[in-house]
Amino acid sequence: MSRMSGRGRFSRPALSETIEALTDIAIRHRDASQSQRLGDVFELNDRFHDTLYRAAGNRQLAKAIPHYTFATQPIRTRAFASRDIRKLAIDEHFEMINALTVGDTDRLSEIIARHIRRPKDFYLRANRITGLATPE
């Protein structure tokens, strides 16, 4: 997924309740990462994305996310051991929140595309499948 489906639903700044929920999850996710609680990192990361996509108002996408999350778990979690990659993901969560706060859907789409691509590329490179990875 290179563009966020349902991004038009964020044509205005997101509801304050959505921003508050995402911020709370992002802070707890950051704290879990800094404390090396990788199980919590995994759970909070999934909760962040589920909350984000549910807020887009696209029911079909929101229903698909748990299936996508499960199917891509080995790919997404491969990079969790890397503190640097976790830090980038955490920073991107806060960038997404900022984009939602001001209703910048183009910026949000760019961040999400990059956010999805990084663990995929990490997995492909780690498994020496470089031909499918995004060029550096």
Side-chain angles (χ1 to χ4, degrees), residues 72-86:
T72 61
Q73 180 180 352
I75 294 168
R76 295 178 308 105
T77 58
R78 179 76 186 254
F80 275 16
S82 169
R83 185 182 298 265
D84 292 338
I85 290 178
R86 287 196 321 269

Side-chain angles (χ1 to χ4, degrees), residues 3-71:
R3 301 295 273 180
M4 181 179 157
S5 299
R7 72 182 205 149
R9 304 288 183 158
F10 288 119
S11 60
R12 293 171 279 187
L15 296 174
S16 61
E17 295 84 16
T18 300
I19 299 301
E20 289 171 18
L22 288 169
T23 301
D24 175 64
I25 296 165
I27 290 169
R28 291 187 297 137
H29 179 252
R30 180 191 61 207
D31 293 347
S33 178
Q34 291 171 346
S35 300
Q36 297 286 316
R37 296 187 331 266
L38 298 184
D40 291 342
V41 169
F42 177 75
E43 188 272 327
L44 290 163
N45 185 64
D46 286 352
R47 187 179 305 173
F48 180 90
H49 293 283
D50 183 60
T51 302
L52 175 69
Y53 287 113
R54 285 186 188 284
N58 182 328
R59 287 187 189 148
Q60 189 173 8
L61 177 63
K63 286 177 70 175
I65 290 299
H67 300 290
Y68 170 79
T69 297
F70 179 76

Side-chain angles (χ1 to χ4, degrees), residues 101-118:
T101 299
V102 298
D104 189 343
T105 56
D106 290 334
R107 178 78 179 126
L108 179 61
S109 293
E110 291 169 12
I111 298 163
I112 289 171
R114 184 177 68 231
H115 192 72
I116 291 170
R117 215 173 20 250
R118 185 177 301 107

